[in-house]
Amino acid sequence: MAYIQCCFFSRTLMRNTSVNVIIPTIDSDEALKDNPYDYFNPKTRYQTLYLLPSKYGDQTEWQRYSTIEQYALMYKLAVVMPAFDASVCED
């Protein structure tokens, strides 16, 4: 699994914000197969799930309080978790 955490200035929001992304990658079981799923092909497309934080949480709560990483690997699913008002990057 690849985990990407990105902080950036949003022109739309006119402030710093962040996003966390999970991208499925090959695991040890698939590495031993003769024909592993082609994760690293530039033409590979993943279905994407956008998970929004709760009113009082932030974009990290999905990883801390759920099994979203296991689902992302199991179903070859990219997961995007953007930040909102209560969960932006520090200036």
Side-chain angles (χ1 to χ4, degrees):
M1 172 188 70
Y3 173 71
I4 302 163
Q5 183 177 26
C6 180
C7 294
F8 59 96
F9 181 79
S10 168
R11 294 170 100 191
T12 303
L13 299 174
M14 293 303 294
R15 61 193 228 168
N16 288 336
T17 190
S18 66
V19 64
N20 295 353
V21 181
I22 297 171
I23 304 290
T25 56
I26 195 166
D27 63 12
S28 58
D29 291 336
E30 288 181 318
L32 297 174
K33 292 180 182 176
D34 291 333
N35 220 358
Y37 186 82
D38 196 5
Y39 288 96
F40 305 111
N41 182 341
K43 294 181 181 180
T44 299
R45 303 281 185 222
Y46 295 104
Q47 290 187 13
T48 304
L49 174 65
Y50 291 86
L51 295 175
L52 306 178
S54 67
K55 183 175 180 180
Y56 300 107
D58 63 15
Q59 74 275 18
T60 64
E61 65 187 351
W62 287 106
Q63 291 169 276
R64 291 182 290 149
Y65 303 123
S66 75
T67 56
I68 192 61
E69 294 173 357
Q70 292 173 1
Y71 285 117
L73 290 174
M74 186 184 315
Y75 296 108
K76 311 297 186 263
L77 184 68
V79 182
V80 178
M81 297 161 286
F84 284 113
D85 291 338
S87 56
V88 296
C89 297
E90 298 296 323
D91 290 329

